Amino acid sequence: MTHSELPLYPKLSSIYNKIMQLAIAILLIVILLYIWALGNERYQQTLNEHFNFIAQQYLTQVTTGVAALINVDKTKISDFIEQSASQHWIKDISYYDATGQLIYRSSAHTSINDLFGISLEKKNIGLAFIPFVQELRIKQLDGYIRITVERERLMKTLIAAGAGQYHFLGIMLLMAGVVGFLLTRGFNRFSRQGYRLAKSTSK
């Protein structure tokens, strides 16, 4: 019985090794895909956070500038708003008084009703153009400043800035996959050599 079972061992061992290699390869692929998806999710989350941060920071700068001009020279507010709206990712800037009446606006002004398709025969473009509003206070509530940000343009700028880091992550994942493949091949050769040595020793 012993002699009849020995020839089967190399075949079973080879099949077992191939199954283990396939299982390890599948596991590595799943891990790499998970890391890639997780990295992409975090990357998109970071982009959105930067988008909101930059828009809020710019809104604060405009609000501070308007507040300063109110105390110095109100006649320059219109020019300041028009100049502040010259950024390629800014659609328009509006200044409302405390009651919500529009006082100053940039040349490409779009009302909230038009922006979200509330006005008649107007399409909702609220997903492409995001409004940000901040109170204007000096001693009391003096009004509101609204900037409308063109999301796609600002996001393109942020994506271009962060593309290098994301590509570096992709290269690292690719290298991890290659290393895993080489290790699998190495373990396979090591196991074959170990079997051959054991076989020659038994002779």
Side-chain angles (χ1 to χ4, degrees):
M1 291 295 294
T2 305
H3 293 288
S4 61
E5 292 177 358
L6 283 176
L8 295 175
Y9 175 77
K11 295 181 180 180
L12 292 174
S13 177
S14 177
I15 294 173
Y16 175 77
N17 287 336
K18 289 180 180 179
I19 292 175
M20 285 297 297
Q21 290 173 16
L22 181 61
I24 293 173
I26 293 174
L27 180 61
L28 287 174
I29 291 173
V30 171
I31 292 174
L32 288 175
L33 289 176
Y34 174 75
I35 295 174
W36 180 268
L38 185 62
N40 183 59
E41 182 180 354
R42 289 182 178 178
Y43 179 67
Q44 294 298 328
Q45 183 179 357
T46 302
L47 285 178
N48 289 327
E49 289 175 356
H50 279 299
F51 171 81
N52 292 323
F53 176 77
I54 291 175
Q56 289 290 352
Q57 285 292 106
Y58 196 77
L59 174 59
T60 300
Q61 291 178 13
V62 174
T63 303
T64 302
V66 172
L69 290 174
I70 288 175
N71 293 326
V72 178
D73 188 357
K74 289 185 178 181
T75 61
K76 295 182 179 180
I77 293 178
S78 180
D79 292 337
F80 173 75
I81 287 178
E82 188 65 38
Q83 183 180 1
S84 300
S86 62
Q87 291 284 349
H88 71 281
W89 46 271
I90 296 291
K91 186 181 186 302
D92 64 64
I93 299 178
S94 308
Y95 172 25
Y96 303 87
D97 65 13
T99 64
Q101 295 296 318
L102 181 64
I103 303 176
Y104 300 99
R105 64 183 179 84
S106 60
S107 56
H109 170 77
T110 302
S111 68
I112 290 292
N113 289 341
D114 292 346
L115 192 65
F116 290 98
I118 299 175
S119 302
L120 293 176
E121 298 181 356
K122 294 290 184 178
K123 296 194 316 184
N124 183 4
I125 56 175
L127 294 178
F129 300 95
I130 312 298
F132 292 83
V133 180
Q134 183 170 314
E135 291 183 350
L136 174 62
R137 290 181 177 272
I138 301 176
K139 294 182 179 180
Q140 59 183 6
L141 180 62
D142 292 289
Y144 305 90
I145 302 295
R146 171 173 69 90
I147 67 172
T148 305
V149 180
E150 190 170 353
R151 180 180 176 84
E152 184 178 354
R153 287 193 175 186
L154 181 53
M155 290 295 283
K156 280 184 177 180
T157 304
L158 296 174
I159 290 172
Q165 182 178 0
Y166 192 64
H167 290 161
F168 178 74
L169 174 62
I171 292 173
M172 290 293 292
L173 291 176
L174 181 61
M175 290 178 63
V178 172
V179 170
F181 174 77
L182 293 176
L183 286 176
T184 304
R185 295 278 296 181
F187 282 131
N188 180 36
R189 292 180 179 179
F190 178 77
S191 62
R192 288 180 179 178
Q193 289 177 359
Y195 170 73
R196 290 172 182 174
L197 288 173
K199 186 176 180 180
S200 61
T201 303
S202 63
K203 288 183 179 180

